[in-house]
Amino acid sequence: RRLDGSYAAGARLTQSSVHHWLDKCLGRFTGTARLCPGKMALEEQCSVPPQWRSISLTHVEFPEGDLTGQVLAYISLLPIAILVGFVTLIVFKRELHTISFFGGLILNEGVNWLLKHILREPRPCAGAHTTLHTEYGMPSSHSQLMWFFVVYFFLFLYLRMHQTNNARCVDLLWRHILSIILLGVALSVSYSRVYLLYHTWSQVFYGGVAGSTIGIIWFFFTQEVLTPLFPKIAAWPISEYFLVRDTSLIPNILWFEYTVTRSEARNRQRKLGTKLQ
């Protein structure tokens, strides 16, 4: 604006448009408005693709024609697969430690929801995605769930499961291989959330820190507080009715189930052979 009160050519702005722009740019501090696209591009180096495609049913979006983005979009669905897998295990196994593990995942998700609505930090590239459950991105729920799962599983593998046969080297090898695979999966899911512009690096990082911390706390709470109560819980009438069981005293449940199943199958085969004779 010039000293005489007139505007330069091409720079005329109405009062309402100025207020609208300021509201978009400064609204990040109140959590009530979206970020200014130009400011966001400067701060987060945001480059929104011209067109998105979504995976059917899940609505996870990836840049059209971007094969890497499509692969990462499918990888980002792994937390959903984990939750479905836990429900399946609980229905068919009905084991108390599995139920406790799943309870920790639900608690972790509750803490994530609470943190998001306390911090109220917007996602990057406001308006880039149209199908979002919440506009807040701190911390990343995908990252927090994956790192809870991975850290808890690490502790389960190395502290709870014990060797029961002589193949010590083989046993340790598959545990290390599985741990490396799980670590790679967690890193891939975390990276996918940044690549697909759902979260910033800080949101993913703090999600991982929160999930890892809750995973450690919940594992030792399960070991020290809940596990001694499992035999009593398994003896409840309702637990017996639904065939809920406690396997916490069995060192290697996979080896135990394998040997018991094989022994029972041989006994039944022997009895069947005797009847046929």
Side-chain angles (χ1 to χ4, degrees), residues 6-28:
S6 62
Y7 286 93
R12 185 176 299 276
L13 295 174
T14 64
Q15 185 177 10
S16 60
S17 64
V18 172
H19 288 169
H20 178 68
W21 185 86
L22 289 175
D23 180 65
K24 292 178 69 177
C25 289
L26 302 179
R28 59 179 303 201

Side-chain angles (χ1 to χ4, degrees), residues 69-80:
Q70 185 174 4
V71 172
L72 290 174
Y74 281 101
I75 290 176
S76 70
L77 297 177
L78 285 174
I80 299 176

Side-chain angles (χ1 to χ4, degrees), residues 48-82:
V48 181
Q51 190 171 357
W52 294 90
R53 291 188 60 186
S54 62
I55 300 176
S56 59
L57 299 180
T58 64
H59 299 295
V60 176
E61 296 179 324
F62 60 92
E64 187 174 13
D66 186 351
L67 180 60
T68 302
Q70 185 174 4
V71 172
L72 290 174
Y74 281 101
I75 290 176
S76 70
L77 297 177
L78 285 174
I80 299 176
I82 288 174

Side-chain angles (χ1 to χ4, degrees), residues 156-179 251-255:
F156 181 84
L157 280 177
Y158 290 102
L159 298 183
R160 184 176 174 86
M161 292 187 68
H162 304 288
Q163 180 63 28
T164 57
N165 53 35
N166 296 325
R168 181 64 179 174
C169 294
V170 174
D171 179 73
L172 288 176
L173 179 61
W174 77 260
R175 292 189 197 187
H176 296 333
I177 293 175
L178 182 57
S179 298
N252 191 329
I253 186 62
L254 294 176
W255 178 257

